[in-house]
Amino acid sequence: WRVQMSSSRGLPYFYSPTLGISSWDVPSELSAEDVQKLPGAMFLKGMDQPKIHHLSGTQSLEEQARVSHILFKHTQSRNPNKKRNTEQRTRSEVLSIAQKYIKELNGSSAAFAKLAKEISDCSSYARGGDMGWFTYGQLQNDFEKEAFKLKIGEISAAPIETASGVHLILKTG
């Protein structure tokens, strides 16, 4: 095992080139003393023990959220080029479409994942729209506000607008 720094999270993680796996958690077979002797252990300096033993949980659950989303890009989006569907839509068209899907979803998280795979303009479509865990300050402000406001299993009641486009959000954790 060795310790490496994640470029996306800015946090250290454990990697085994022999096994070809990585983990945010300290591998169970390593003692605290073993961890300090690993190549790259300097990345752990200054971290308290609870953080070292569960790096993915460096924030309390109230400060983290996990969501899936469906992104609808439009002609005024920050990057209006779509990889999956070349049809260009205006902001008002996209808002109308998103509102229609909110009604069709009727709160169903299973239908949400299926729909995300079919129509989302974000690369997360391959994972049913799953964006994984994040904390405040990692995503666009309006998106984060809605994500943290929702209860687990709840879908946004209205489309959320950001520079990326229009989103439907399902809180999953």
Side-chain angles (χ1 to χ4, degrees):
W1 289 95
R2 66 180 177 220
V3 180
Q4 296 186 173
M5 186 61 75
S6 164
S7 59
S8 62
R9 289 189 178 192
L11 292 171
Y13 66 96
F14 298 88
Y15 175 70
S16 171
T18 307
L19 300 172
I21 59 172
S22 60
S23 173
W24 291 108
D25 298 318
V26 174
S28 59
E29 67 268 22
L30 298 179
S31 69
E33 187 177 303
D34 292 335
V35 169
Q36 296 307 318
K37 293 179 183 176
L38 291 174
M42 70 275 201
F43 292 125
L44 300 171
K45 298 281 188 247
M47 294 186 76
D48 60 25
Q49 286 303 310
K51 286 183 182 178
I52 290 172
H53 287 285
H54 190 69
L55 291 169
S56 61
T58 58
Q59 305 261 333
S60 71
L61 289 177
E62 294 78 29
E63 296 171 320
Q64 297 182 52
R66 184 172 188 162
V67 300
S68 292
H69 80 135
I70 298 171
L71 172 64
F72 301 90
K73 289 187 177 189
H74 54 76
T75 54
Q76 297 158 333
S77 297
R78 175 176 54 195
N79 179 6
N81 298 328
K82 300 189 289 183
K83 294 179 175 97
R84 299 184 68 207
N85 177 357
T86 57
E87 178 185 349
Q88 294 293 312
R89 298 183 189 129
T90 66
R91 178 181 159 273
S92 61
E93 288 173 321
V94 163
L95 283 167
S96 177
I97 292 166
Q99 193 63 52
K100 177 187 84 147
Y101 282 121
I102 289 173
K103 290 177 184 152
E104 282 183 23
L105 288 167
N106 197 26
S108 170
S109 56
F112 192 98
K114 183 177 185 283
L115 186 62
K117 286 181 179 183
E118 292 172 4
I119 66 166
S120 182
D121 291 325
C122 179
S123 60
S124 67
Y125 79 88
R127 299 180 305 278
D130 182 23
M131 295 185 66
W133 289 95
F134 62 93
T135 58
Y136 274 111
Q138 290 186 285
L139 301 175
Q140 294 176 62
N141 193 36
D142 290 337
F143 188 99
E144 283 184 351
K145 281 181 189 175
E146 182 68 14
F148 281 96
K149 185 176 76 173
L150 293 170
K151 294 180 175 83
I152 294 173
E154 188 176 18
I155 297 172
S156 51
I160 306 304
E161 293 187 70
T162 70
S164 299
V166 174
H167 309 260
L168 301 183
I169 302 172
L170 165 65
K171 187 165 188 174
T172 58

